[in-house]
Amino acid sequence: MNILLLGPPGAGKGTQGERIAERLGVPKVATGDVLRAAVREGTGMGLAAKGFMDRGALVPDDVILGIVKEALEAPAMARGVVLDGVVRTVPQAEGLRRVFSELGRSLDCVLLFEIADEEVVRRLGGRTVCERCQTPYMGKAPGDPCPKPGCGGKLVRRKDDEPEAIRTRMRAYREQTEPVIAWYRGDGTTFLEVDALGDVEEITERVMTRLAQCGEANG
Ligand code: AP5
């Protein structure tokens, strides 16, 4: 099953994406994670993307489509994939359809995580991430040790979780990503909404129920 997760920053796409991929036994591709790894490694792509990311702006479409094409061509993706935040503009949606079509595949389902702006601000304002394993946490302070057994990393705040960058990310979502919702609704792809407010485990169950509906819709 090929699934695309859409939704505002902080909606829980990363948290749920990991859990869904594990449940379905398929890999997850998150363009945000790929870009942050490139920044840490200091590659050309990372250096080019860093300025956009730090201020909360979208990275150019051609960079994203290059990442997506390379990722989807990997043999490990053949059985299905969970795509997290991979499409944020209409040209990216068109590009993803092209990449899938070249591979003789298609998107089975788009899941939209719905959440109010106040909750986005609360979550992003309270997020820390492990600098080593990149797991996000709530209610922990920068400098705390990563709670994951055996990790040993330290928690830090993401640069784009500063208030000004959060505002820019929310604006980018409204102006550039919301049109993608209408695009998919008109495209015939199975499109399902999920209430992203609540307990993490509860939301995973909601998502799995939605995915079962997606499976039925696709026969
Ligand atoms: P990316 O890393 O994808 O950022 P984002 O979309 O803004 O999403 P987040 O990672 O902030 O949030 P999330 O929805 O994954 O929520 P999470 O699970 O972490 O992208 C970063 C940047 O890369 C972009 O701004 C852009 O510059 C660039 N980029 C990436 N893809 C691009 C593309 N396709 N085109 C152009 N540019 C691109 O949860 C958030 C917090 O809430 C965490 O602390 C978590 O622990 C907590 N939480 C999760 N679920 C719950 C819950 N149910 N209850 C309470 N807390 C919860």
Side-chain angles (χ1 to χ4, degrees), residues 9-15 31 36 57 59 85-86 88 92 127 169 198:
K13 305 179 296 296
T15 303
T31 31
R36 275 186 293 278
V59 169
V86 159
R88 298 182 201 221
Q92 290 179 17
R127 171 165 63 185
R169 287 160 71 195

Side-chain angles (χ1 to χ4, degrees), residues 7-16 30-33 35-36 49 52-54 56-61 64 84-89 92 119 122-124 126-128 136-138 158 160-161 169 196-200 203:
K13 305 179 296 296
T15 303
Q16 295 299 331
T31 31
D33 292 347
L35 290 166
R36 275 186 293 278
F52 293 100
M53 296 174 77
D54 283 354
L58 295 185
V59 169
D61 292 336
I64 300 299
D84 161 10
V86 159
V87 172
R88 298 182 201 221
T89 66
Q92 290 179 17
E119 178 67 6
R122 189 190 76 81
R123 287 189 188 176
L124 298 184
R127 171 165 63 185
T128 49
Y137 295 99
M138 283 293 283
R158 267 170 54 170
D160 61 351
D161 282 346
R169 287 160 71 195
L197 191 63
D199 181 68
V200 170
I203 297 167

Side-chain angles (χ1 to χ4, degrees), residues 69-81:
K69 189 166 167 26
E70 192 183 331
L72 290 182
E73 282 171 354
M77 306 286 166
R79 283 198 315 115
V81 63

